[in-house]
Amino acid sequence: MMLLQSLRYYLSEHPSIVGFRWSHTQSWGSTWSFLFSSIAAYVVASAFIHLLLLFLFRHRRPLPLGPIPAAHSLCMALISATIFSGTFLSSAAEIRDTRWSWRRSRTTPFQWLLCFPLGTRPSGRVFFWSYIFYLSRFLHALRTFITIIRGRKLSFFKLFNNSILIFMSFLWLEFSQSFQVLAILLTTLVYSVVYGYRFWIEIGLRSACFPFVVNCQMVLLSCNVVCHFGVLLLHIIKGGCNGIGAWIFNSVLNGAILFLFLNFYVKMHFRGSKVGGDRRSAAVDKADKLELIKGRT
């Protein structure tokens, strides 16, 4: 009991969490100049490392990285689980403290998770964990360098995907975008499972006999699509959701990513049913490298 109370305090009731406020002067990485310069540096560094390896090593054999990939996967799994727990407890605390103000509008907790009231400011518990999620995207992007060095491949889609993820996480905070709480919960839950699975594989244990990572991606995308319709419906019924402009921009990106993923998913199963398990395994490995998992809101 004491352990649970301590966890609840440090994940949702600590003064630094309750008193958090997204500010361009107080929050690290909160300026537009930092956002664009960091994304540009990420893309340039990825291209530079890729070209340098091509120049230094004529062969395209993978370069060993030792325990680094496993350590990165374990770190991301633990961070994702922490963000999920903190967001869950903080959401429950926010609902407990503010639901009295929803009586006139007859808003339910689930509606609040989908649709922030107009005028919501990026401050308090849930935005603290949104900020931590934003910062964790930079650590997530390090997997690109692991793939370049170990796999000797540079994927334009991976660069685009990770850059958009960082960009959209920034917009969640900048415009107090609706639906971000559920998006963080869904994404970090899937991340903790997927990266835990990757750590399991990296240390030499058996992999699943089915496309585990791809199926997790499909579950995440399907949940996001359903919730997007819920946001749109509440925006019409309730007279507006906060940050709807950023949500519309994100929805367009989600539609494009969903189309690409479904196209790949159908081709993977169609080829797998024709040519057998070897080709399917290769397709699954390719999907894992694409890393389509994304906090899409």
Side-chain angles (χ1 to χ4, degrees), residues 8-294:
R8 181 170 299 173
Y9 173 78
Y10 285 108
L11 292 177
S12 64
E13 301 295 344
H14 194 277
S16 61
I17 297 177
V18 177
F20 172 79
R21 183 171 65 90
W22 170 257
S23 170
H24 291 177
T25 58
Q26 298 178 4
S27 305
W28 185 83
S30 60
T31 62
W32 288 95
S33 59
F34 175 86
L35 175 68
F36 289 115
S37 60
S38 60
I39 292 177
Y42 162 68
V43 174
V44 171
S46 299
F48 175 77
I49 294 175
H50 177 66
L51 294 175
L52 181 63
L53 290 176
L54 289 179
F55 177 76
L56 295 177
F57 303 97
R58 298 297 181 181
H59 63 81
R60 300 188 65 86
R61 286 176 293 181
L63 299 178
L65 289 176
I68 294 178
H72 179 266
S73 296
L74 178 60
C75 183
M76 285 301 304
L78 294 176
I79 290 175
S80 298
T82 302
I83 296 175
F84 173 83
S85 301
T87 304
F88 181 83
L89 293 174
S90 295
S91 299
E94 288 290 338
I95 292 172
R96 179 198 65 206
D97 294 344
T98 60
R99 66 185 310 166
W100 62 268
S101 63
W102 305 342
R103 294 175 181 175
R104 291 184 179 179
S105 59
R106 296 181 180 179
T107 300
T108 65
F110 184 71
Q111 290 175 345
W112 176 80
L113 291 173
L114 284 173
C115 178
F116 284 155
L118 295 175
T120 299
R121 302 295 182 184
S123 61
R125 299 178 180 91
V126 295
F127 287 100
F128 171 85
W129 288 109
S130 180
Y131 177 59
I132 299 300
F133 180 84
Y134 163 64
L135 296 180
S136 70
R137 298 312 88 208
F138 294 99
L139 181 61
H140 170 72
L142 292 179
R143 187 171 177 85
T144 301
F145 302 116
I146 295 175
T147 303
I148 293 173
I149 296 173
R150 188 169 65 170
R152 305 297 304 280
K153 293 181 180 180
L154 176 63
S155 170
F156 170 78
F157 182 83
K158 182 179 294 183
L159 293 179
F160 175 78
N161 185 64
N162 288 336
S163 299
I164 289 299
L165 179 55
I166 295 172
F167 182 71
M168 293 310 304
S169 300
F170 179 89
L171 293 185
W172 294 352
L173 290 157
E174 186 69 14
F175 296 101
S176 304
Q177 182 184 315
S178 294
F179 179 48
Q180 64 176 280
V181 176
L182 272 182
I184 293 173
L185 288 173
L186 292 172
T187 304
T188 52
L189 178 61
V190 173
Y191 268 35
S192 59
V193 173
V194 168
Y195 274 104
Y197 172 76
R198 283 174 173 161
F199 172 74
W200 176 277
I201 300 302
E202 292 288 353
I203 62 177
L205 299 177
R206 289 187 59 183
S207 60
C209 59
F210 60 94
F212 181 82
V213 174
V214 176
N215 287 342
C216 287
Q217 293 167 351
M218 180 58 69
V219 170
L220 178 61
L221 287 171
S222 301
C223 291
N224 279 328
V225 169
V226 173
C227 291
H228 270 288
F229 281 107
V231 174
L232 180 60
L233 182 63
L234 286 175
H235 178 70
I236 297 174
I237 295 176
K238 294 291 185 180
C241 296
N242 203 68
I244 199 65
W247 175 84
I248 292 175
F249 177 71
N250 207 346
S251 297
V252 174
L253 293 177
N254 284 342
I257 295 297
L258 180 61
F259 174 79
L260 293 174
F261 181 77
L262 287 177
N263 183 51
F264 168 80
Y265 191 80
V266 171
K267 287 183 178 179
M268 183 192 71
H269 282 274
F270 179 74
R271 291 176 181 176
S273 63
K274 276 194 169 185
V275 302
D278 292 339
R279 185 69 61 83
R280 172 169 293 195
S281 297
V284 171
D285 292 340
K286 182 178 179 182
D288 182 53
K289 292 178 181 178
L290 285 177
E291 291 187 291
L292 290 172
I293 293 183
K294 179 176 179 280

